[in-house]
Amino acid sequence: MVEIAPVGGGGSPRPKAPEPDGPLRIRGGVGGINFQFEELLAGATALDELVHQLQAIEIEAEAVRVALFPYQASFYTSGSNAIIAVGESGRDIGRVREQLQRIGSDVRASHREYEFAESHAAIRLRMGLGMPVLGAGPNPLDLGWRGATEGVVRDLTRILELMMGLPPVAANLVGAMVGPTDVGAVLRAIVATPGLAFLRPRPINVSRGETTTKSMDLSAPGLLRELGRVSASSEGEIEVAQVDKDGERAWVVLIPGTQPGNPPGGSNPLDEAGIAEALGYESAETSKAIRQALREAGAAAGESVVAVGHSQGGIHAMNLSKDKAFLDEYHLKFVVTAGSPVGGITPREGTGSLHLEHKDDWVPGADGKANADTKDRVTVTMTNPLSLAPGEDPGRLGPAHKLSHYEEGAKLVQLSSDPSLAASTTTLGGILGAGGMAKVSRFKLGREAPQPARVPGPHVPVPSRSMPAPRVQPPVPSDFRSGSGAR
């Protein structure tokens, strides 16, 4: 949080990065650097107004002091004392004004330094200098698999250039011009390849399944636990829960992670092809399906929604935060993601989010971008070592990506006193409450079958209509009475 120095203490308020909370590294939120600067700059603007007021008081004090001089001869002692007192008061006001001016200037200077450092770091990243690659420098895995993956994906262009034999200086310059890897563009290019059309997004049908009423824990760990039940007991299904808090309805959408298809691109929209839709096409079809599921569950326009997703499901959940059609119909207030690469998604202002990551889970870094540091967006990176019980399945993508481990991390978040995490927990609780009875509906999503390719038939020539056919005149019968015909 902001380090405060008392007036006259020789220092100015400066932002301070959030301290780790046990195994949790925290970025963003009300304790994040950016929001601290927003608050300090707002304070500096308020100080400017106060400085103007003090300047006006200084001028008035000086006018009073000057006005007392004619009376000094008549009442020398008291008049002199009054003149001195007014003068000292004016000087005291001037010292306070100067101190406040200095504080405001220092805050702005600190902000400029921060922006310069951020810009400098961005340029270095564009040049591929932000992370060692190809064995140069310290081991990238010291950053954890999550950070190493983000760096490799971001610097993919530079890595390929170095592999092709370009000198490092040339590779860095080209990297600076090209910029970080656009994962969405790469995926769109892949699915456009002949023979891979089955990976392209296709319309999704929605069919309602079972509806039950049950008790739900509506905290972040409770929602992830419920999401785990959905993932384990279904294929291609999402869950929509209606909750009532203080007489107002709110809705929760739970979206599972990737469910391997056999082959990919089949009827389950949450298979591997769903990753291409999520990262390459902003979940265009899945967002429509979620909107339809909410309508069929009974959600009315303008009601509050919380979206929760693991892995691929988290990308779909976060894409709702920038989907104009969805946001025009529903009020998406909060998103919870676990192990999801969502750094490239910028939500509409006012949508809160909590992103859970683990330093040994490479999936959150797969888009090559870090989550933004904003007031409404909190990223928690867990650093605790992971262990598996004897016989426990490590999962397809490693134990760090398992939803059960992210549930444990969410419990630590809930217990944390860190300002950003406490605010995030309070925000979610203010939308849904702590828990209670909920009406829960399952919806089966089914991707439509690909349309068969059209095979052109044989060419059949069509007569041209540009030139009319010649008109044939019928023969004229002979006139025997004229004597001109045969007799």
Side-chain angles (χ1 to χ4, degrees):
M1 294 296 288
V2 178
E3 294 180 327
I4 304 295
V7 175
S12 299
R14 287 182 175 271
K16 180 182 179 184
E19 295 287 343
D21 186 0
L24 306 179
R25 290 203 308 256
I26 303 139
R27 174 181 170 84
V30 297
I33 293 288
N34 275 340
F35 182 66
Q36 291 180 57
F37 265 123
E38 290 177 13
E39 293 290 281
L40 285 174
L41 290 174
T45 301
L47 286 179
D48 290 342
E49 179 61 29
L50 184 56
V51 164
H52 292 318
Q53 295 176 13
L54 291 176
Q55 285 176 328
I57 295 174
E58 279 186 88
I59 294 173
E60 290 181 9
E62 178 61 17
V64 170
R65 191 179 74 85
V66 171
L68 290 174
F69 280 121
Y71 303 99
Q72 186 178 17
S74 301
F75 308 96
Y76 187 79
T77 302
S78 59
S80 299
N81 290 338
I83 292 171
I84 294 172
V86 172
E88 288 180 349
S89 297
R91 286 189 290 273
D92 288 340
I93 292 171
R95 282 191 289 270
V96 173
R97 173 185 54 78
E98 291 173 357
Q99 182 76 357
L100 295 180
Q101 282 179 315
R102 186 186 63 78
I103 291 173
S105 298
D106 287 351
V107 167
R108 291 187 172 92
S110 178
H111 184 244
R112 287 193 297 270
E113 291 172 5
Y114 174 75
E115 287 188 323
F116 175 80
E118 288 286 288
S119 300
H120 182 66
I123 293 172
R124 288 179 59 83
L125 290 177
R126 286 176 67 91
M127 297 183 66
L129 301 176
M131 185 191 123
V133 294
L134 300 180
N139 184 357
L141 295 185
D142 291 343
L143 305 172
W145 280 104
R146 188 255 176 267
T149 302
E150 179 186 317
V152 169
V153 173
R154 182 188 60 236
D155 296 339
L156 186 58
T157 302
R158 175 175 174 259
I159 293 173
L160 293 175
E161 290 161 354
L162 291 173
M163 291 175 64
M164 291 186 293
L166 265 69
V169 173
N172 291 341
L173 290 175
V174 173
M177 291 185 290
V178 173
T181 305
D182 185 342
V183 173
V186 172
L187 289 171
R188 290 190 293 274
I190 291 173
V191 301
T193 303
L196 297 180
F198 62 92
L199 294 176
R200 296 174 190 168
R202 303 194 299 274
I204 297 173
N205 298 316
V206 179
S207 57
R208 186 167 184 168
E210 180 185 18
T211 297
T212 59
T213 300
K214 65 179 184 179
S215 177
M216 278 187 68
D217 178 357
L218 300 173
S219 65
L223 293 173
L224 292 180
R225 189 181 315 117
E226 179 66 17
L227 177 57
R229 296 190 188 104
V230 177
S231 303
S233 62
S234 65
E235 186 172 301
E237 291 188 4
I238 63 173
E239 186 169 281
V240 177
Q242 173 193 330
V243 301
D244 293 281
K245 180 180 182 293
D246 301 330
E248 293 187 3
R249 298 194 309 179
W251 301 83
V252 180
V253 180
L254 301 171
I255 313 167
T258 303
Q259 299 167 340
N262 189 19
S267 62
N268 183 358
L270 298 177
D271 65 5
E272 295 90 342
I275 301 173
E277 190 217 346
L279 288 175
Y281 297 88
E282 299 181 344
S283 305
E285 299 297 337
T286 302
S287 292
K288 294 178 186 176
I290 293 172
R291 211 158 78 241
Q292 181 180 340
L294 279 166
R295 289 195 206 106
E296 294 189 15
E303 291 189 317
S304 301
V305 175
V306 171
V308 183
H310 171 229
S311 194
Q312 178 191 152
I315 312 174
H316 292 309
M318 199 63 188
N319 274 330
L320 296 176
S321 70
K322 60 180 293 185
D323 185 322
K324 185 178 185 303
F326 187 91
L327 297 174
D328 285 347
E329 186 167 356
Y330 296 109
H331 187 182
L332 182 67
K333 286 192 170 181
F334 205 84
V335 178
V336 180
T337 70
S340 303
V342 293
I345 302 173
T346 302
R348 180 182 289 184
E349 187 176 356
T351 300
S353 59
L354 172 65
H355 308 291
L356 299 169
E357 304 179 348
H358 194 285
K359 73 177 185 67
D360 292 328
D361 181 8
W362 62 269
V363 177
D367 62 349
K369 297 177 181 178
N371 298 332
D373 174 353
T374 66
K375 172 190 174 184
D376 296 321
R377 194 167 186 177
V378 181
T379 301
V380 182
T381 303
M382 296 176 284
T383 61
N384 56 300
L386 298 172
S387 59
L388 295 173
E392 182 181 355
D393 181 12
R396 292 186 310 113
L397 302 178
H401 191 63
K402 295 186 70 172
L403 185 54
S404 58
H405 289 149
Y406 279 116
E407 180 191 335
E408 294 302 315
K411 292 178 181 177
L412 296 178
V413 169
Q414 191 176 21
L415 296 174
S416 174
S417 59
D418 174 84
S420 294
L421 301 188
S424 183
T425 299
T426 301
T427 300
L428 183 60
I431 301 168
L432 301 178
M437 301 305 294
K439 182 181 178 182
V440 179
S441 300
R442 292 282 186 97
F443 290 88
K444 178 78 171 179
L445 308 186
R447 188 189 286 130
E448 291 186 2
Q451 297 296 322
R454 295 183 178 180
V455 180
H459 177 69
V460 178
V462 178
S464 174
R465 297 184 178 182
S466 59
M467 295 292 292
R471 188 173 181 180
V472 179
Q473 296 292 336
V476 180
S478 300
D479 189 350
F480 292 103
R481 289 173 295 178
S482 66
S484 62
R487 295 192 181 267

